């Protein structure tokens, strides 16, 4: 059970905490919290000259890199989970990673209110790279991990009681002298009842103050001694057996003579003797561990010799063991350093260990002897534990009355691995295949069960660090038969479960609890381990051992137990407790999965029923056990979450037990005030096992609690006007809207993966656990980038329900999605992957542009996806958002194949040239690689250009020539129509004709950029006149190509190209390094006008799709690569040194800073393919907001005229003064008119002509 409480367990607590408590805790000012978040300085990008800015790629959630610790790593699918909190921007922050599941958490608060840390429990063997077996203490002040050592097994439930400063721990484990339940105060404290004989799954505190345990148990106490004890023999023969001071007599010096011997054949080859009158020792060390309970020694009688006194030393600890035995008078006796062995005894002498401890070796030290010297004629070692080892040699030998000891069999490519840091050697198999064949390897364990009864079955898995296989570990299936008569009503249930083997250190998983039949002539219990299906190689599978532990039972319980902490002894008359009585009223073998407290009632959920009380799978306990309305639920309830007076219930049910309340389907709400059930929509299609609260901004600036629903389901069911939508194992319910987040069309945080538990921590943000990836904005494939109110990414128009979604007109389609495992409510593209000529999959949006000419305002996105138009129809791969027509969303008319992919766009007039891997038939003519669309008529141009031809035609770049009717098209093709035209071809729109530019270019073109009207830069994998190059220049006037200066020094093909200045005399390029093809590392290089410089540090195996110089509002440190007000934007699938995955980065000339992080719907790392802007000409003109040349000239002219005017006025005043001083005689009108006849006129062009003689600049047509 989980509650919104600062001081309660994630699986136990009281009802005093309400949803508002969680919201308040989550809104704590982070700077005041012990968990600190370090913000990243703003990159100070200047978009003032660019108009609208957009990013296109393959993603479903996206965030700006704003805090240290943010990442875009995929969520784990190997069974490992993490301790999490949230950044102020909503993204999840990983505080510590576990190597397996985290089941439960609670804050450990002392009675004075001091926070001692957060207790974390689960099935892990390490947390935050610290070895910790199932439980640890997390310190939020410094994120340190303290293992709470002493438990072996799995922790399912915690309850932190701040009133007594006690942590109650439940699960499937052993520790101290307890099983499955124990307490931690300042250390481990055994509870008075020594735990339970079955697993504990939930703990809570009753209104009375007593502690309630729930689980699958029927009695108190620890394991029991079998009625046939000491029946498993330790295989001494597999050990390394040595001796000191052995006799030199032939046939008596080998210490292995006495292994698995009964003393009946005392003599040569069957007896070990020491040298005459000398003390000595017999020693054995093993590749596995064991817990001995009995030692059987056979004394020798050869020539009157024999051992008189001896001692047993544990080689693991060096300690001398205390033993008990029956003396000659039949009395029990004790010994340690000098244990006696009778002379001439006709049978063995048994010695039992007083303390049972684990070891992997021992030594028998003989200190005194009979006759001439000591010796032995047989030795056997026994234990109560029943083990079956994967390594056959470690299993029981056939000695004495053991006819068929524990053993195993295997098939497949198994090899034996040494124990290393593990408890024993094991089998390992490295499997190949895509996918792995589940039948390619198997190990079957056969225990030697002498006594029928209730057993706990535990599978031991060695850690992956010891054998360096963590990168190839995966999942295994475990199946088994536990009893005779399978298929009959009384037969024990067979085992069928799946385990992850990704643990860093040794772990122990209980896979069965229940009755097991003893071996018989017709039946023998078995467990088989095989690799799970649907895994790809290489996969390492390991098999070590399985333990069968016989359980004791006091009886009288059935899944529930009420414990009074104030009583030192336990009253086993359980009828005095209403809780214990409630458990006993249920069917035998009841399984309690979750407990919750609201007001004065305790709510119990699980798998059970009661005919007398009409209870099914859930009920409440007040003064008595009471059925909930409808008799409960029609199938098992797995999880409870308290939100004020509402109880959320998750499980595998579909309706109430009486069928009157339908559509519950895995998740339901019970209103404890009105005593009524309420459906969450119509539930999910599958099972729910986890309900975890988080906070989201459903209304801007007003965070509220929402409910995350986790389990095994593939969709959320439709209800009312809301259609069903895909949701792989994760969905979010918004209580304030009584609807699923996906149905609300709200721009908010996106989460993929699963959450398993949550707890509030005093003076800290809430802690969560699970395996998730997230983005501060849920959006698919295209977003806006704005700096108007601080740099942020913006959701763009969905064309769907979208009410309240932030729009940045014109906007891009993002209708309702079939995406899975994701919370974004506005995703709609169904993305398909196809391979382009560079070998990368195109999935999602690949390119885009803003068209603002001819009185049109249209945003265009191309790629490989499907979307919904404004009319509700499905459009594919190229969409138009027409802001000049009320943001109408349309696609291309019919004619193209749905598998087409667009990666390049260009316009001339109102004609849009769109290229990629495009195929279809338009107006009865085939098209391949390119299509032309008229933006003014919203239809294809007729006729289309003649189709491109060649194997695997693909267009990668389109570059209309400035002030021309020519459109240059580059890619992978050999001809255009009837013209031979490899790699680069020109279409003249005035003549509707293809021509070949130049005659000596071949290869594949990846990029085209006009430096000016007479200089085209061409990048790719090129040959010019038979000479290979990565970058060339084409002169359209001379129709000639030339290798770009120094391009032959580039290490591989160019995949991205951009100018470094407005004159295009300096460049940036990126590509793949041919010289290191094995790892395909990327490179970035700068051309400074004369030389190329490879940028360091390298981005390794990154795939770089786009480069662009951006300007800044404030300068960075001076360096030779970039101007002080410039920064380089790099987009793609990036691997940044010292950081990891990123979708975009900023390079300031010395370091790469993460900029944009994104993820896909399945939690994988996202990709950014392109950044594009409304005003491409402003890309190299920003920075300090410099005025254009024309404005500078006008301002200069105005200043000059003003100065001239002042000088003229001053001159007139001076002249008037002079004339007044000297006397003034006015001219006649006739004289004045006659002077004008001699004046010459100055042509205006002589005055203003020089202003037009400056160099004309050509703006970049793309970002």
């Amino acid at each position: 059970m989980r509650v919104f409480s600062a001081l309660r367990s994630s699986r136990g607590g009281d009802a005093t905490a309400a949803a508002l408590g969680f919201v308040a805790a989550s809104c704590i000012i982070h700077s005041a919290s012990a968990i600190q978040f370090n913000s990243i300085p703003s990159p100070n990008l200047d978009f003032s000259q660019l108009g609208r800015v957009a990013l296109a790629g393959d993603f479903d959630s996206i965030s700006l890199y704003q805090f240290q610790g943010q990442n875009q790593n995929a969520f784990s699918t190997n069974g490992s989970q993490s301790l999490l909190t949230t950044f102020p921007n909503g993204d999840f922050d990983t505080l510590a990673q576990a190597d397996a599941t985290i089941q439960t958490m609670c804050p450990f608060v002392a009675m004075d209110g001091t926070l001692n840390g957060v207790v974390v429990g689960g099935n892990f063997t390490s947390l935050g790279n610290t070895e910790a077996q199932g439980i640890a203490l997390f310190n939020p002040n410094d994120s340190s991990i303290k293992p709470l050592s002493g438990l072996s097994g799995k922790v399912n439930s915690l309850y932190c009681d701040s009133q007594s400063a006690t942590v109650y721990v439940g699960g499937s484990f052993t520790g101290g002298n307890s099983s499955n339940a124990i307490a931690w105060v300042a250390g481990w404290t055994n509870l008075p009842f020594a735990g339970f004989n079955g697993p504990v799954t939930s703990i809570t505190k009753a209104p009375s103050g007593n502690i309630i345990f729930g689980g699958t148990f029927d009695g108190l106490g620890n394991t029991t001694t079998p009625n046939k004890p000491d029946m498993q023999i330790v295989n001494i023969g597999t050990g390394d057996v040595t001796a000191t001071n052995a006799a030199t007599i032939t046939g008596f010096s080998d210490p292995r003579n006495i292994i698995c011997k009964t003393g009946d054949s005392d003599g040569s080859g069957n007896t070990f003797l020491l040298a005459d009158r000398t003390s000595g020792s017999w020693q054995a060390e093993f590749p596995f561990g064991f817990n001995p309970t009995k030692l059987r020694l056979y004394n020798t009688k050869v020539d009157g010799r024999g051992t008189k006194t001896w001692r047993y030393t544990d080689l693991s600890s060096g300690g001398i063991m205390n033993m008990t035995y029956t003396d000659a008078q039949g009395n029990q006796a004790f010994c340690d350093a000098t244990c006696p062995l009778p002379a001439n005894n006709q049978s063995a002498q048994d010695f039992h260990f007083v303390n049972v401890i684990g070891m992997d070796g021992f030594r028998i030290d003989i200190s005194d002897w009979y006759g001439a010297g000591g010796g032995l004629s047989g030795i056997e070692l026994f234990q109560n534990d029943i083990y079956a080892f994967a390594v056959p040699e470690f299993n029981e030998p056939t000695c004495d009355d053991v006819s068929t000891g524990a053993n195993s069999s295997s098939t497949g490519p198994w090899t034996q691995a040494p124990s290393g840091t593990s408890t024993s050697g094991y089998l390992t198999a490295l499997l190949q295949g895509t996918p792995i064949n589940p039948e390619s390897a198997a190990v079957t364990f056969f225990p030697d069960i002498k006594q029928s009864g209730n057993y706990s079955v535990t599978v031991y898995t060695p850690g992956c660090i010891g054998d360096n296989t963590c990168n190839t570990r995966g999942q295994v299936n475990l199946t088994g038969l536990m009893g005779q008569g399978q298929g009959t009503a009384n037969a024990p249930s067979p085992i069928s479960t799946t385990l992850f083997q990704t643990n860093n250190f040794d772990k122990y998983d209980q896979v069965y609890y229940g009755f097991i039949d003893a071996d018989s002539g017709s039946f023998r219990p078995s467990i088989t381990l095989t690799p799970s299906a649907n895994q790809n190689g290489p996969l390492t599978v390991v098999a070590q051992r399985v333990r069968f532990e016989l359980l004791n039972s006091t009886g009288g319980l059935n899944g529930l137990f009420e414990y009074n902490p104030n009583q030192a002894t336990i009253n086993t008359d359980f009828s005095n407790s209403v809780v214990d009585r409630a458990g006993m009223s249920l069917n035998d073998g009841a399984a309690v999965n979750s407990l919750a407290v609201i007001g004065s009632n305790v709510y119990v959920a699980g798998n059970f029923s009661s005919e007398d009380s009409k209870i099914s799978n859930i009920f409440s306990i007040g003064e008595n056990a009471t059925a909930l309305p409808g008799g409960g639920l029609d199938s098992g309830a797995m999880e409870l979450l308290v939100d004020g007076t509402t109880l959320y219930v998750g499980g595998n049910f579909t309706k109430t037990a009486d069928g009157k309340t339908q559509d519950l389907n895995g998740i339901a709400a019970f209103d404890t005030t009105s005593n009524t059930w309420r459906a969450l929509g119509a539930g999910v299609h599958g099972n729910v096992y986890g309900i975890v609260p988080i906070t989201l901004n459903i209304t801007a600036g007003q965070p509220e609690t929402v409910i995350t629903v986790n389990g095994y389901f593939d969709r959320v069911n439709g209800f009312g006007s809301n259609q069903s939508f895909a949701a792989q194992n994760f969905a979010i319910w918004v209580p304030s809207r009584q609807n699923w987040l996906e149905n609300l069309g709200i721009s908010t945080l996106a989460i993929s993966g699963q959450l398993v538990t949550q707890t509030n921590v005093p003076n800290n943000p809430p802690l969560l656990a699970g395996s998730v990836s997230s983005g501060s904005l849920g959006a698919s494939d295209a977003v806006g980038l704005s700096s108007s109110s601080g740099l942020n990414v913006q959701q763009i128009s969905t064309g769907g329900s979208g009410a309240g979604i932030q729009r940045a007109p014109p906007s891009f389609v993002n209708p309702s999605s079939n995406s899975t495992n994701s919370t974004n409510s506005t995703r709609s593209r169904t993305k398909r992957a196809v391979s382009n000529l560079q070998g990368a999959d195109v999935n999602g949006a690949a390119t885009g542009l803003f068209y603002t000419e001819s009185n049109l305002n249209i945003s265009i996105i191309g790629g490989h996806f499907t979307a919904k138009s404004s009319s509700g129809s499905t459009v594919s791969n190229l969409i138009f958002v027409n802001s000049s027509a009320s943001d109408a969303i349309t696609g291309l008319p019919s004619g193209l194949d749905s598998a087409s992919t667009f990666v390049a766009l260009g316009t001339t007039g109102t004609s849009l040239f769109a290229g990629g891997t495009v195929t279809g038939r338009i107006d009865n003519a085939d098209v391949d690689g390119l299509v032309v669309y008229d933006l003014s008529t919203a239809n294809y141009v007729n006729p289309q250009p003649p189709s491109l031809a060649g194997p695997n035609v693909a267009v990668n770049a389109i570059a209309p020539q400035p002030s021309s009717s020519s459109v240059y098209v580059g890619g992978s093709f050999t001809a255009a129509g009837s013209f031979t035209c490899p790699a680069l071809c020109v279409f003249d729109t005035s003549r509707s004709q293809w021509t070949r530019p130049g005659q000596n270019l071949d290869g594949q073109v990846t990029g085209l950029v006009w430096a000016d009207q007479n200089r085209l830069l061409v990048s790719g994998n090129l040959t010019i006149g038979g000479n290979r190059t990565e970058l060339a220049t084409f002169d359209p006037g001379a129709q000639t190509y030339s290798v770009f200066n120094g391009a032959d020094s580039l290490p591989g093909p160019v995949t991205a190209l951009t100018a470094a200045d407005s004159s295009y005399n300096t460049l940036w390029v990126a590509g793949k390094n041919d010289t290191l093809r094995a790892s395909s590392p990327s490179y970035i290089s700068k051309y400074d006008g004369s030389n190329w410089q490879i940028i360091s540090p390298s981005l390794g195996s990154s795939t770089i799709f786009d480069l662009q110089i951006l300007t800044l509002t404030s300068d960075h440190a001076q360096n030779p690569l970039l101007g002080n007000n410039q920064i380089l934007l790099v987009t793609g699938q990036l691997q940044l040194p010292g950081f990891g995955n990123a979708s975009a980065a900023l390079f300031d000339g010395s370091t790469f800073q993460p900029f944009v992080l994104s993820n896909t719907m399945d939690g994988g790392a996202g990709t950014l393919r392109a950044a594009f802007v409304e005003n491409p000409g402003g890309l190299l003109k920003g920075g300090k907001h410099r005025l254009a040349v024309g404005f500078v000239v006008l301002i200069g002219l105005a200043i000059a005229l003003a100065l001239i005017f002042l000088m003229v006025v001053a001159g007139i005043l001076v002249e008037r003064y002079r004339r007044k001083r000297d006397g003034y005689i006015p001219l006649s009108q006739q004289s004045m008119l006659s002077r004008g006849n001699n004046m010459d006129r100055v042509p205006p062009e002589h005055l203003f002509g020089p202003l037009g003689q400056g160099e004309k600049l050509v703006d970049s047509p793309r970002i």
Side-chain angles (χ1 to χ4, degrees), residues 722-1091:
N722 301 285
Q723 296 183 350
S724 173
F725 60 87
Q728 186 178 342
N729 304 327
F730 184 85
I732 292 181
W733 177 258
V734 183
S736 66
R737 307 290 183 90
Q738 287 298 293
N739 207 334
W740 299 99
L741 180 63
E742 185 85 8
N743 294 329
L744 299 179
I746 292 174
S747 173
T748 187
L749 175 74
I751 307 172
S752 300
Q754 290 187 318
L755 296 170
V756 293
T757 189
Q758 168 272 339
T759 191
N760 290 338
V761 184
N763 301 318
N764 281 272
L767 295 186
L768 302 104
S771 178
V772 300
S773 61
S774 65
S776 57
L777 178 68
S780 287
D781 302 342
V783 294
L785 193 58
S786 172
S787 61
S788 58
S789 57
L791 191 63
N792 62 89
V793 287
Q794 297 177 332
Q795 174 74 285
I796 331 187
S797 173
T798 65
S801 57
I805 295 176
Q806 182 179 6
R807 295 172 181 255
S811 50
F812 308 113
V813 172
N814 217 359
S816 169
S817 168
N818 291 326
S819 66
T820 60
N821 209 29
S822 176
T823 66
N824 175 33
S825 62
T826 59
R827 264 188 293 290
S828 70
R829 292 187 184 85
T830 303
K831 299 179 278 187
R832 306 179 294 266
V834 295
S835 181
N836 66 12
L837 83 164
Q838 288 107 2
D841 285 339
V842 178
N843 201 22
T847 186
L849 62 80
F850 298 97
Y851 183 82
T852 56
E853 300 175 10
S854 302
N855 296 318
L856 295 175
N857 190 344
I858 302 176
S859 303
I860 308 167
I861 290 290
H864 195 66
F865 51 80
T866 61
K868 284 185 179 179
S869 70
S870 296
S871 64
S873 63
T874 298
V875 294
S876 299
N877 308 324
L878 193 65
I879 56 175
F880 307 91
V881 182
N882 192 341
S883 294
S884 49
S886 303
D887 279 349
I889 299 167
T890 58
L892 291 173
S894 61
L896 296 184
D897 298 332
S898 61
S900 296
T901 300
F902 292 94
V903 298
L905 302 174
T907 60
T908 179
T910 60
S911 295
L912 170 70
F913 285 71
T917 53
V918 181
T919 57
R921 190 169 178 83
I922 299 174
D923 294 327
N924 297 317
D926 291 335
V927 295
D928 197 355
L930 181 74
V931 66
V932 183
Y933 178 82
D934 192 325
L935 294 170
S936 62
T937 63
N939 207 343
Y940 293 119
V941 169
N942 187 15
Q944 290 286 302
S947 178
L948 299 173
N952 302 317
V953 170
V955 170
N956 278 342
I958 298 173
Q961 185 179 8
S963 303
S964 169
S965 60
S966 296
V967 178
Y968 284 68
V969 178
S972 177
F973 46 83
T974 58
S978 60
F979 290 93
T980 299
C981 198
L984 181 62
C985 208
V986 181
F987 186 76
D988 189 330
T989 58
S990 65
R991 295 184 297 162
S992 297
Q993 183 177 342
W994 288 107
T995 59
R996 180 180 182 180
Q999 297 297 316
N1000 57 349
L1001 178 71
D1002 208 341
Q1004 296 176 333
V1005 171
T1006 59
L1008 298 171
V1009 175
W1010 286 101
D1012 55 45
Q1013 188 172 353
N1014 299 307
R1015 187 162 51 117
L1016 177 66
L1017 300 178
V1018 185
S1019 65
N1021 191 1
L1022 311 173
T1023 57
I1024 298 176
N1027 298 315
R1028 178 180 169 178
T1029 186
E1030 326 297 342
L1031 185 63
T1033 302
F1034 177 68
D1035 184 338
Q1039 289 288 294
T1040 58
Y1041 294 93
S1042 59
V1043 174
F1044 194 92
N1045 181 34
D1048 54 354
S1049 67
L1050 293 174
V1054 172
T1055 59
L1057 165 68
T1058 192
D1061 65 81
S1062 59
S1063 67
Y1064 283 74
N1065 290 325
T1066 58
L1067 302 174
W1068 288 89
V1069 299
K1072 288 290 185 181
N1073 193 332
D1074 264 347
T1075 60
L1076 298 172
R1077 181 62 70 185
S1079 58
S1080 296
S1082 61
Y1083 73 87
I1084 298 177
S1085 186
K1086 167 74 181 295
Y1087 179 70
D1088 63 7
S1090 57
N1091 298 297

Side-chain angles (χ1 to χ4, degrees), residues 511-872:
V511 297
Y512 179 77
Y513 166 81
F515 193 83
I516 298 180
D517 284 330
D519 296 355
S520 67
S522 60
F523 170 78
R524 188 170 193 182
S526 65
I527 290 180
T528 300
L529 181 150
T530 59
S532 296
N534 302 318
Q535 299 181 95
N536 295 330
L539 176 71
T540 299
V541 179
V542 293
Q544 188 181 60
R545 58 177 171 159
V546 180
R547 180 185 184 186
F548 296 77
E549 186 177 34
L550 184 63
L551 303 175
N552 188 20
S553 173
T554 60
L557 296 178
N558 191 23
L560 287 170
F561 174 65
E562 182 179 14
Y563 165 60
N564 186 344
N566 298 317
Q567 293 182 350
T569 60
I570 300 300
N571 182 358
T572 56
D573 181 3
F574 303 125
S575 63
N576 294 325
S577 165
V578 63
V579 173
D580 299 347
R581 290 199 311 270
M584 290 305 299
S585 70
L586 305 177
N587 61 289
D588 290 343
V592 173
N593 297 323
S594 190
L595 300 170
V597 175
I598 299 179
S600 59
N601 289 329
V602 178
Y603 291 85
V604 182
N607 297 82
F608 47 72
S609 63
S610 172
E611 292 294 332
D612 295 338
S613 304
K614 304 299 181 184
I615 287 172
S616 292
N617 303 303
I618 188 169
F619 67 98
S620 66
I621 304 174
E623 295 181 358
N624 295 289
T626 305
L628 297 190
L633 299 166
D634 67 337
S635 193
M638 298 295 296
E639 178 75 327
L640 298 177
L641 171 70
V642 174
D643 179 9
T645 59
T646 299
L647 182 69
Y648 289 96
V649 186
N652 58 357
F653 48 83
T654 61
K655 55 185 179 298
T656 54
D658 63 5
K660 292 182 179 180
T661 303
Q662 298 283 329
D663 291 334
L664 300 183
N665 295 319
I667 181 71
F670 181 70
D671 189 324
T672 60
T673 301
S674 62
N675 208 36
T676 56
W677 288 102
R678 185 176 69 249
L680 273 62
V684 301
H685 185 252
N687 303 331
V688 173
Y689 67 77
I691 312 172
V692 180
I694 62 172
T695 55
L696 289 180
N697 282 319
I698 303 302
T699 303
Q702 298 180 17
E704 62 181 82
T705 299
V706 297
I707 307 300
T708 71
V709 178
N710 307 264
Y712 297 107
F713 51 87
D714 58 8
R715 69 176 184 269
V716 173
N717 298 323
F719 67 100
S721 61
N722 301 285
Q723 296 183 350
S724 173
F725 60 87
Q728 186 178 342
N729 304 327
F730 184 85
I732 292 181
W733 177 258
V734 183
S736 66
R737 307 290 183 90
Q738 287 298 293
N739 207 334
W740 299 99
L741 180 63
E742 185 85 8
N743 294 329
L744 299 179
I746 292 174
S747 173
T748 187
L749 175 74
I751 307 172
S752 300
Q754 290 187 318
L755 296 170
V756 293
T757 189
Q758 168 272 339
T759 191
N760 290 338
V761 184
N763 301 318
N764 281 272
L767 295 186
L768 302 104
S771 178
V772 300
S773 61
S774 65
S776 57
L777 178 68
S780 287
D781 302 342
V783 294
L785 193 58
S786 172
S787 61
S788 58
S789 57
L791 191 63
N792 62 89
V793 287
Q794 297 177 332
Q795 174 74 285
I796 331 187
S797 173
T798 65
S801 57
I805 295 176
Q806 182 179 6
R807 295 172 181 255
S811 50
F812 308 113
V813 172
N814 217 359
S816 169
S817 168
N818 291 326
S819 66
T820 60
N821 209 29
S822 176
T823 66
N824 175 33
S825 62
T826 59
R827 264 188 293 290
S828 70
R829 292 187 184 85
T830 303
K831 299 179 278 187
R832 306 179 294 266
V834 295
S835 181
N836 66 12
L837 83 164
Q838 288 107 2
D841 285 339
V842 178
N843 201 22
T847 186
L849 62 80
F850 298 97
Y851 183 82
T852 56
E853 300 175 10
S854 302
N855 296 318
L856 295 175
N857 190 344
I858 302 176
S859 303
I860 308 167
I861 290 290
H864 195 66
F865 51 80
T866 61
K868 284 185 179 179
S869 70
S870 296
S871 64

